[in-house]
Amino acid sequence: MAKQTFETRKGEGGETHQQVSDDSTGTADTARLTTNQGIRITDNQNSLKAGARGPTLLEDFVLREKIFHFDHERIPERIVHARGSGAHGYFELFESLADITKADLFQRPGEKTPLFARFSTVAGGAGSVDTPRDVRGFAVKFYTRQGNWDLVGNNIPVFFIQDAMKFPDLVHAVKMESDRAFPQAGSAHDTFWDFASLMPESTHMLMWAMSDRTLPRSLRMMEGFGVHTFRLVNAEGKSTFVKFHWKPKLGIQSTVWDEALKLQAADNDYHRRDLWEAIAVGNFPEWELGLQLFDQAFADAQPYDVLDATKLIPEEVIPVRIVGRMVLDRNPDNFFAETEQVAFCPANIVPGVDFSNDPLLQGRLFSYLDTQKSRLGTANFHQIPINAPKCPVMNFQRDGQMQMNVPRGRANYEPNSLADHGEDGGPRECPMTGFTTSTGRPEHEEEGDKLRVRAELFADHYSHARLFWLSQQPAEQAHIASSFVFELSKVQLAQVPARMIANLRNVDEELAKRVAEGLAIALPDKKPAAREPVSMHPSPALSIHANMKAVLTGRKVGVLIADGTDAAELKGLLAEIEKAGGSPFLVSPRIGGAKLSDGKVMKVDGQLAGSPSQLFDAVAVVLSNAAVEDLAKQAVAIQWVMDAFGHLKAIGSNGAATPLLEKAGVVPDAGVVGLDTYFAKAAASRYWDREPRVRVLA
Ligand code: HDE
């Protein structure tokens, strides 16, 4: 029998008892399996039975506790944004913003504030795929010295609706249909388009949703936006309107639709894996935080309302001022404890940041706190480590389910005079450093009668949708038109596609015509606009293609090899890819590797059948004459090359690989190159000019 002693340890959470063992095996105490009550378990393989073949006994508390806990492992998933991936990191300030805000994290250049970020899709359940056509959530929790600030945004700067009143309708419409429970994680179905076509205010967001913004190549390569207009407030109480932007260091990069569809089969966890692996190898994802700052006079002078979340302020009008950066440098230790239990709330702000009257934002201020209670089951969810502020939390809130703190003394009310009697009287309010709500002048002066109305300019539903359309390059416009065709072609309610196109005629006649032609239906009459659209200058900042970075950094190159591949040629290629910052991923017909020309076996990262080319940003095919004869007969190899070509990727190949390229229908263009030093440069781009040759777009 092991000798046991008990030691008392003072910990952060009070006093804990730690068992110290001294048994003959010398196994560390922490390696001993115990029940949740700390009882050591002798056998974790067999339940307790009355005889070897007898019934299991009810008294087996070890079994019952284990199964009981397992039964309750799942918690309600988020009603939206259920599928997500998160990481720890920090925010580093570049310049002091003391003149604009008193928020502590914006005072001292160079200072770092810890944070946790979570990215998500919106419509699908927690186990759904990573790459549907969907908006991406972009939520950041800053653990500042003044408390937690949550910037809970999306990868698109506008939203579908203007008023929180419509959110449950929007979400019901987009999620799987309630009688049949499909489709999962996709908007291409009746109820979504029925609703969207009846909501002209959603038109601008639909343009974004139908663009490649909803098909990000990587979570590391998408922008983030706070969406609403917020306020920054300085020490004098002066408030400045602000829109928050996150700019990815790797540039924006999207996939093409066919690629996104195939990715759903190739890797259900494509984005989650990509984020995890990048952080694990030290390629820390990074974004710059930018601000668009403006005042009431600017707001009043615009032909749209800055409180309307379906509108944006073009960067060409108010430039984005870069003030700091976010770096994600640590994967979660435990997905459930951190990524699943993290509870964001737009109402979590710090002194120096404040809300605007945006009616969508105002509704969110209620919703998130409410949802956390139902998801995490207790009003004490803020005590879970991932949600707990990293500054002192002191108040008279008490009790509730799963109370983790042990408040001392009897001061659970205020005012009290217990301190006069030598007892701890507890904390007090602080008029000087506490949070003060901005008076919101002059915006709030417009408050009048209580009315269920929308402000006048909210009725302009099309100007910004047109601005977005006109700011896209031709290939992007073709993708948008084709996405409308794809989505509407899945709709079975006869009246819906025509109703949607009637709306689109207000955005752009050409777009409406292309969608109608793609669906082979007559162009419907134009829907009368509630308010005539105004014309705005195109904004190149809204185009992905205009802002992509032709760099290989952070990108993956699939390299197909087989027995007989020339060792020197392969070595040179891998060195070139790595020199350019890319990560080669070796693929061969068999996972054990390929025997190269020098007789040595080259280990590979993936088997051909399990590593389709949509997993990569560019591909290279390095084969021997003997191997190509065999591979050119195999559908999997032909498809590998054909998809890379169809997805507009660079294809590098050696001479011996030519028969396979020919079989795959590859025709020469700027992206079809040899394996010389030019390959790494070519691999950093996509070849949009090729697209009309590989698919018909609307
Ligand atoms: Fe959310 N949203 N939302 N939302 N939202 C939630 O909160 C809601 C909106 C966003 O990674 C929920 O914890 C309402 C806009 C993100 O955990 C819920 C309205 C934007 C995330 C909720 C909106 C967002 C959520 C579900 C209209 C971009 C995931 C679970 C008034 C600015 C955060 C949860 C994470 C999550 C409500 C509109 C972004 C139900 C009522 C606009 C990124 O509370």
Side-chain angles (χ1 to χ4, degrees), residues 78-81 118 120 137-139 152-154 159 164 167 226-228 342 344 360 363-364 367-368 371-372 375:
R78 291 165 173 82
I79 169 69
V80 279
H81 297 267
R118 182 176 180 274
S120 45
F138 196 120
V152 196
N154 280 341
F159 202 62
F167 191 67
V227 177
H228 313 280
V342 65
F344 291 97
L360 194 66
R364 295 179 74 202
S367 175
Y368 290 65
T371 213
Q372 306 314 347
R375 257 176 33 80

CSV table of all heavy atoms in Angstrom, one decimal, residues 78-81 118 120 137-139 152-154 159 164 167 226-228 342 344 360 363-364 367-368 371-372 375, ligand 1:
chain,number,residue,atom,x,y,z
A,78,ARG,N,-23.7,27.4,-30.4
A,78,ARG,CA,-24.1,28.7,-30.7
A,78,ARG,C,-25.2,28.7,-31.8
A,78,ARG,O,-25.1,27.9,-32.7
A,78,ARG,CB,-23.0,29.6,-31.3
A,78,ARG,CG,-21.9,29.9,-30.3
A,78,ARG,CD,-20.6,30.3,-31.0
A,78,ARG,NE,-19.6,30.8,-30.1
A,78,ARG,CZ,-18.7,30.0,-29.5
A,78,ARG,NH1,-18.8,28.7,-29.6
A,78,ARG,NH2,-17.8,30.5,-28.7
A,79,ILE,N,-26.3,29.5,-31.6
A,79,ILE,CA,-27.4,29.5,-32.6
A,79,ILE,C,-26.9,29.9,-33.9
A,79,ILE,O,-27.4,29.5,-35.0
A,79,ILE,CB,-28.6,30.3,-32.0
A,79,ILE,CG1,-29.7,30.5,-33.1
A,79,ILE,CG2,-28.2,31.6,-31.4
A,79,ILE,CD1,-30.4,29.3,-33.5
A,80,VAL,N,-26.0,30.8,-34.0
A,80,VAL,CA,-25.3,31.2,-35.2
A,80,VAL,C,-23.8,31.1,-34.9
A,80,VAL,O,-23.4,31.1,-33.7
A,80,VAL,CB,-25.6,32.6,-35.7
A,80,VAL,CG1,-26.9,32.6,-36.5
A,80,VAL,CG2,-25.6,33.6,-34.6
A,81,HIS,N,-22.9,31.1,-35.9
A,81,HIS,CA,-21.5,31.0,-35.7
A,81,HIS,C,-21.0,29.8,-34.9
A,81,HIS,O,-20.1,29.9,-34.1
A,81,HIS,CB,-21.0,32.3,-35.0
A,81,HIS,CG,-21.2,33.5,-35.8
A,81,HIS,ND1,-20.2,34.1,-36.7
A,81,HIS,CD2,-22.3,34.4,-35.9
A,81,HIS,CE1,-20.7,35.2,-37.3
A,81,HIS,NE2,-21.9,35.4,-36.8
A,118,ARG,N,-11.6,34.4,-32.3
A,118,ARG,CA,-12.4,33.2,-32.8
A,118,ARG,C,-13.0,33.6,-34.2
A,118,ARG,O,-13.6,34.6,-34.3
A,118,ARG,CB,-13.4,32.8,-31.9
A,118,ARG,CG,-14.2,31.5,-32.3
A,118,ARG,CD,-15.2,31.0,-31.3
A,118,ARG,NE,-15.9,29.9,-31.7
A,118,ARG,CZ,-17.0,29.9,-32.5
A,118,ARG,NH1,-17.6,31.0,-32.8
A,118,ARG,NH2,-17.6,28.8,-32.8
A,120,SER,N,-15.3,32.1,-37.5
A,120,SER,CA,-16.4,31.2,-37.6
A,120,SER,C,-17.2,31.3,-38.9
A,120,SER,O,-17.1,32.4,-39.6
A,120,SER,CB,-17.4,31.4,-36.4
A,120,SER,OG,-17.7,32.8,-36.3
A,137,GLY,N,-17.3,35.0,-39.2
A,137,GLY,CA,-17.2,35.8,-38.0
A,137,GLY,C,-15.8,36.1,-37.7
A,137,GLY,O,-14.9,35.3,-38.0
A,138,PHE,N,-15.5,37.2,-37.1
A,138,PHE,CA,-14.2,37.7,-36.8
A,138,PHE,C,-14.2,38.3,-35.4
A,138,PHE,O,-14.5,39.5,-35.3
A,138,PHE,CB,-13.7,38.6,-37.9
A,138,PHE,CG,-12.2,38.9,-37.9
A,138,PHE,CD1,-11.5,38.6,-39.1
A,138,PHE,CD2,-11.5,39.5,-36.9
A,138,PHE,CE1,-10.1,38.8,-39.2
A,138,PHE,CE2,-10.2,39.7,-36.9
A,138,PHE,CZ,-9.5,39.4,-38.1
A,139,ALA,N,-14.1,37.5,-34.3
A,139,ALA,CA,-14.4,38.1,-33.0
A,139,ALA,C,-13.1,38.1,-32.2
A,139,ALA,O,-12.3,37.1,-32.2
A,139,ALA,CB,-15.4,37.2,-32.3
A,152,VAL,N,-16.6,42.2,-31.8
A,152,VAL,CA,-17.2,41.0,-32.4
A,152,VAL,C,-17.7,41.3,-33.8
A,152,VAL,O,-18.8,41.8,-34.0
A,152,VAL,CB,-18.4,40.5,-31.5
A,152,VAL,CG1,-18.8,39.1,-31.9
A,152,VAL,CG2,-18.1,40.6,-30.1
A,153,GLY,N,-16.8,41.1,-34.8
A,153,GLY,CA,-17.1,41.5,-36.2
A,153,GLY,C,-17.2,40.4,-37.1
A,153,GLY,O,-17.3,39.2,-36.8
A,154,ASN,N,-17.3,40.7,-38.4
A,154,ASN,CA,-17.3,39.8,-39.5
A,154,ASN,C,-16.2,40.1,-40.5
A,154,ASN,O,-15.6,41.1,-40.4
A,154,ASN,CB,-18.7,39.9,-40.2
A,154,ASN,CG,-19.8,39.1,-39.5
A,154,ASN,OD1,-19.5,38.2,-38.6
A,154,ASN,ND2,-21.0,39.4,-39.8
A,159,PHE,N,-24.0,44.4,-43.2
A,159,PHE,CA,-24.8,43.3,-42.7
A,159,PHE,C,-26.1,43.2,-43.5
A,159,PHE,O,-26.4,44.1,-44.3
A,159,PHE,CB,-25.1,43.5,-41.2
A,159,PHE,CG,-25.4,42.1,-40.6
A,159,PHE,CD1,-24.5,41.1,-40.6
A,159,PHE,CD2,-26.7,41.9,-40.0
A,159,PHE,CE1,-24.8,39.9,-40.0
A,159,PHE,CE2,-27.0,40.7,-39.4
A,159,PHE,CZ,-26.1,39.7,-39.4
A,164,ALA,N,-32.2,45.1,-35.4
A,164,ALA,CA,-32.1,43.9,-34.7
A,164,ALA,C,-33.5,43.1,-34.7
A,164,ALA,O,-33.5,41.9,-34.6
A,164,ALA,CB,-31.8,44.1,-33.2
A,167,PHE,N,-33.3,40.0,-37.0
A,167,PHE,CA,-32.3,39.0,-36.9
A,167,PHE,C,-32.8,37.6,-36.8
A,167,PHE,O,-32.4,36.7,-37.6
A,167,PHE,CB,-31.3,39.3,-35.8
A,167,PHE,CG,-30.1,38.5,-35.8
A,167,PHE,CD1,-29.1,38.6,-36.8
A,167,PHE,CD2,-29.8,37.6,-34.8
A,167,PHE,CE1,-28.0,37.9,-36.9
A,167,PHE,CE2,-28.7,36.8,-34.8
A,167,PHE,CZ,-27.8,36.9,-35.9
A,226,GLY,N,-15.5,45.7,-37.8
A,226,GLY,CA,-16.4,45.9,-36.7
A,226,GLY,C,-17.8,46.1,-37.1
A,226,GLY,O,-18.7,46.1,-36.3
A,227,VAL,N,-18.0,46.4,-38.4
A,227,VAL,CA,-19.3,46.6,-39.1
A,227,VAL,C,-20.0,47.9,-38.6
A,227,VAL,O,-20.1,48.9,-39.4
A,227,VAL,CB,-20.2,45.4,-39.0
A,227,VAL,CG1,-21.6,45.7,-39.6
A,227,VAL,CG2,-19.6,44.2,-39.6
A,228,HIS,N,-20.4,48.0,-37.4
A,228,HIS,CA,-21.1,49.2,-36.9
A,228,HIS,C,-20.2,50.4,-36.8
A,228,HIS,O,-19.0,50.3,-36.6
A,228,HIS,CB,-21.7,48.9,-35.5
A,228,HIS,CG,-22.4,47.6,-35.4
A,228,HIS,ND1,-23.7,47.5,-35.9
A,228,HIS,CD2,-22.0,46.4,-34.9
A,228,HIS,CE1,-24.1,46.2,-35.6
A,228,HIS,NE2,-23.1,45.6,-35.1
A,342,VAL,N,-15.6,30.3,-25.1
A,342,VAL,CA,-15.4,31.7,-25.1
A,342,VAL,C,-16.8,32.4,-25.4
A,342,VAL,O,-17.5,31.9,-26.2
A,342,VAL,CB,-14.3,32.1,-26.1
A,342,VAL,CG1,-14.7,31.8,-27.6
A,342,VAL,CG2,-14.0,33.6,-26.0
A,344,PHE,N,-18.3,35.8,-26.3
A,344,PHE,CA,-18.2,37.2,-26.8
A,344,PHE,C,-19.4,38.0,-26.6
A,344,PHE,O,-20.5,37.5,-26.5
A,344,PHE,CB,-17.8,37.2,-28.3
A,344,PHE,CG,-16.5,36.7,-28.6
A,344,PHE,CD1,-16.3,35.4,-29.0
A,344,PHE,CD2,-15.3,37.5,-28.4
A,344,PHE,CE1,-15.1,34.9,-29.3
A,344,PHE,CE2,-14.1,37.0,-28.7
A,344,PHE,CZ,-13.9,35.7,-29.2
A,360,LEU,N,-29.0,48.0,-35.0
A,360,LEU,CA,-28.6,46.6,-35.1
A,360,LEU,C,-27.6,46.4,-33.9
A,360,LEU,O,-27.8,45.4,-33.2
A,360,LEU,CB,-27.8,46.4,-36.4
A,360,LEU,CG,-27.6,44.9,-36.8
A,360,LEU,CD1,-29.0,44.2,-37.1
A,360,LEU,CD2,-26.7,44.8,-38.0
A,363,GLY,N,-29.4,46.1,-30.5
A,363,GLY,CA,-30.1,44.8,-30.3
A,363,GLY,C,-29.0,43.8,-29.9
A,363,GLY,O,-29.3,43.0,-29.0
A,364,ARG,N,-27.8,43.9,-30.4
A,364,ARG,CA,-26.8,42.9,-30.1
A,364,ARG,C,-26.4,43.1,-28.6
A,364,ARG,O,-26.0,42.1,-28.0
A,364,ARG,CB,-25.6,43.1,-31.0
A,364,ARG,CG,-25.8,42.8,-32.5
A,364,ARG,CD,-24.6,43.0,-33.3
A,364,ARG,NE,-23.6,42.0,-33.1
A,364,ARG,CZ,-22.3,42.1,-33.4
A,364,ARG,NH1,-21.9,43.3,-33.8
A,364,ARG,NH2,-21.5,41.2,-33.2
A,367,SER,N,-28.5,40.7,-26.9
A,367,SER,CA,-28.6,39.3,-27.3
A,367,SER,C,-27.4,38.5,-26.8
A,367,SER,O,-27.7,37.3,-26.3
A,367,SER,CB,-28.6,39.3,-28.8
A,367,SER,OG,-28.5,37.9,-29.3
A,368,TYR,N,-26.2,39.0,-26.8
A,368,TYR,CA,-25.1,38.1,-26.5
A,368,TYR,C,-25.0,37.7,-25.0
A,368,TYR,O,-24.7,36.5,-24.7
A,368,TYR,CB,-23.8,38.8,-26.9
A,368,TYR,CG,-23.7,38.9,-28.4
A,368,TYR,CD1,-24.5,39.7,-29.2
A,368,TYR,CD2,-22.7,38.2,-29.1
A,368,TYR,CE1,-24.5,39.8,-30.6
A,368,TYR,CE2,-22.6,38.3,-30.5
A,368,TYR,CZ,-23.5,39.1,-31.2
A,368,TYR,OH,-23.4,39.2,-32.6
A,371,THR,N,-27.6,35.0,-24.6
A,371,THR,CA,-27.3,33.7,-25.2
A,371,THR,C,-26.2,33.0,-24.4
A,371,THR,O,-26.2,31.7,-24.3
A,371,THR,CB,-26.8,33.9,-26.7
A,371,THR,OG1,-27.2,32.8,-27.5
A,371,THR,CG2,-25.3,34.1,-26.8
A,372,GLN,N,-25.3,33.7,-23.8
A,372,GLN,CA,-24.3,33.0,-23.0
A,372,GLN,C,-24.9,32.3,-21.8
A,372,GLN,O,-24.4,31.2,-21.4
A,372,GLN,CB,-23.2,34.0,-22.5
A,372,GLN,CG,-22.6,34.9,-23.5
A,372,GLN,CD,-22.1,34.2,-24.8
A,372,GLN,OE1,-22.1,32.9,-24.8
A,372,GLN,NE2,-21.8,34.9,-25.8
A,375,ARG,N,-26.2,29.1,-23.2
A,375,ARG,CA,-25.2,28.2,-23.7
A,375,ARG,C,-24.3,27.6,-22.6
A,375,ARG,O,-24.0,26.5,-22.5
A,375,ARG,CB,-24.2,28.9,-24.7
A,375,ARG,CG,-24.5,28.6,-26.1
A,375,ARG,CD,-23.7,29.3,-27.1
A,375,ARG,NE,-22.3,29.7,-26.7
A,375,ARG,CZ,-21.3,28.9,-26.7
A,375,ARG,NH1,-21.4,27.7,-27.1
A,375,ARG,NH2,-20.1,29.3,-26.3
B,1,HDE,FE1,-24.0,38.0,-33.9
B,1,HDE,N1,-24.6,36.6,-32.5
B,1,HDE,N2,-25.9,38.9,-33.8
B,1,HDE,N3,-23.5,39.4,-35.3
B,1,HDE,N4,-22.2,37.2,-34.0
B,1,HDE,C1,-23.9,35.7,-32.0
B,1,HDE,O1,-23.7,35.0,-29.8
B,1,HDE,C2,-26.8,38.6,-32.9
B,1,HDE,C3,-24.3,40.3,-35.9
B,1,HDE,C4,-21.1,37.7,-34.6
B,1,HDE,O2,-17.0,33.5,-32.1
B,1,HDE,C5,-24.5,34.9,-30.9
B,1,HDE,O3,-22.3,33.8,-28.5
B,1,HDE,C6,-27.9,39.5,-33.1
B,1,HDE,C7,-23.5,41.3,-36.6
B,1,HDE,C8,-20.0,36.8,-34.4
B,1,HDE,O4,-18.4,33.2,-30.4
B,1,HDE,C9,-25.8,35.6,-30.7
B,1,HDE,C10,-27.6,40.3,-34.2
B,1,HDE,C11,-22.2,40.8,-36.6
B,1,HDE,C12,-20.4,35.9,-33.6
B,1,HDE,C13,-25.8,36.7,-31.8
B,1,HDE,C14,-26.3,39.9,-34.6
B,1,HDE,C15,-22.3,39.6,-35.8
B,1,HDE,C16,-21.8,36.1,-33.3
B,1,HDE,C17,-24.6,33.4,-31.1
B,1,HDE,C18,-28.5,41.4,-34.8
B,1,HDE,C19,-21.0,41.4,-37.2
B,1,HDE,C20,-19.7,34.7,-33.1
B,1,HDE,C21,-23.7,32.8,-30.1
B,1,HDE,C22,-28.9,42.4,-33.9
B,1,HDE,C23,-20.7,42.7,-36.7
B,1,HDE,C24,-18.8,35.0,-31.9
B,1,HDE,C25,-23.1,33.9,-29.4
B,1,HDE,C26,-18.0,33.8,-31.4
B,1,HDE,C27,-22.6,35.4,-32.4
B,1,HDE,C28,-26.7,37.6,-32.0
B,1,HDE,C29,-25.7,40.5,-35.8
B,1,HDE,C30,-21.1,38.9,-35.5
B,1,HDE,C31,-27.1,34.8,-30.8
B,1,HDE,C32,-29.2,39.5,-32.2
B,1,HDE,C33,-24.0,42.5,-37.3
B,1,HDE,C34,-18.6,37.0,-35.0
B,1,HDE,O5,-25.9,36.2,-29.5
